[in-house]
């Protein structure tokens, strides 16, 4: 059945790209595999995304939203003097526990920016968004260091297939910020 008017098609293509990358990695991504996954004509993928890099940018932007949204929506970060280390450790644990495959996918797309310059700006947007939430509580350099440490902890957990240790993360993050007053 032909779909003439399909306002959700672009989003379905992005969702399909995320599923394809999650299942086969970036190497398995093509307009053809995404079209099949999204159940749309091949021409629809190239209409909405002229290149695979454009599609990857949209997919990375969507994938990145998970952790950044959790940080933005944290009530703790809205309060002065919050326990930055404790809250980042808590959010990181929730994020890793919710959907490990999704987190792996986010990091695969994030790390793809090493080889695909078109993705670099989107990868930077993620850290900029998290840093913006941290800025009222710390200086920009410390905010960047906290983000780098969270990235490192997450990658270690993913690469070793280990369990996330929230207390370890809290203690490591706390070394970068003064203790909360409260």
């Amino acid at each position: 059945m032909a779909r003439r008017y399909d306002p959700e098609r672009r989003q379905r293509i992005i969702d399909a790209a995320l599923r394809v990358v999650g299942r086969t990695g970036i190497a398995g991504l093509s307009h053809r595999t995404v079209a099949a996954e999204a159940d749309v004509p091949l021409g629809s993928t190239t209409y909405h995304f002229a290149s695979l890099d454009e599609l990857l940018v949209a997919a990375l932007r969507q994938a990145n939203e998970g952790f950044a949204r959790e940080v933005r929506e944290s009530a703790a970060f809205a309060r002065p003097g919050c326990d930055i280390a404790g809250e980042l450790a808590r959010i990181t644990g929730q994020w890793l526990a919710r959907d490990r495959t999704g987190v792996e996918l986010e990091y695969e797309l994030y790390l793809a920016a090493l080889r695909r310059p078109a993705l670099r700006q989107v990868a930077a947007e993620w850290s900029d968004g998290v840093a913006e939430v941290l800025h009222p509580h710390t200086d920009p350099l410390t905010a960047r260091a906290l983000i780098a440490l969270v990235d490192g902890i997450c990658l270690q957990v993913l690469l070793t297939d280990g369990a996330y240790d929230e207390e370890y993360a809290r203690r490591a993050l706390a070394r970068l910020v003064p203790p909360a007053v409260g």
Side-chain angles (χ1 to χ4, degrees), residues 7 14 18 25 34 50 56 63 104 125-126 143-144 176:
I14 295 169
L18 288 168
V34 172
L56 281 170
E104 289 171 2
E125 287 172 9
W126 175 87
R144 294 283 179 194
L176 297 175

Side-chain angles (χ1 to χ4, degrees), residues 59-177:
L60 179 56
R61 193 163 270 134
Q62 181 170 312
N64 275 349
E65 187 53 29
F67 186 82
R69 180 179 42 248
E70 298 255 350
V71 171
R72 274 193 319 274
E73 293 176 357
S74 166
F77 286 124
R79 295 188 298 268
C82 78
D83 176 8
I84 299 168
E87 187 63 4
L88 278 176
R90 182 189 70 75
I91 290 170
T92 302
Q94 286 182 337
W95 182 58
L96 285 167
R98 185 174 22 260
D99 178 16
R100 192 175 186 113
T101 302
V103 175
E104 289 171 2
L105 169 64
E106 288 183 50
Y107 272 102
E108 182 167 0
L109 288 167
Y110 184 66
L111 292 172
L114 293 172
R115 301 253 186 247
R116 294 180 180 256
L119 298 178
R120 289 184 185 157
Q121 179 182 346
V122 182
E125 287 172 9
W126 175 87
S127 57
D128 291 345
V130 175
E132 189 176 305
V133 174
L134 298 177
H135 283 163
H137 305 286
T138 190
D139 63 276
L141 181 63
T142 302
R144 294 283 179 194
L146 289 164
I147 293 163
L149 184 53
V150 167
D151 269 343
I153 291 170
C154 289
L155 283 170
Q156 286 177 351
V157 168
L158 294 173
L159 292 172
T160 63
D161 203 25
Y164 175 71
D165 183 342
E166 186 174 324
E167 181 56 22
Y168 162 78
R170 188 200 60 71
R171 287 190 356 250
L173 290 161
R175 289 175 181 238
L176 297 175
V177 292

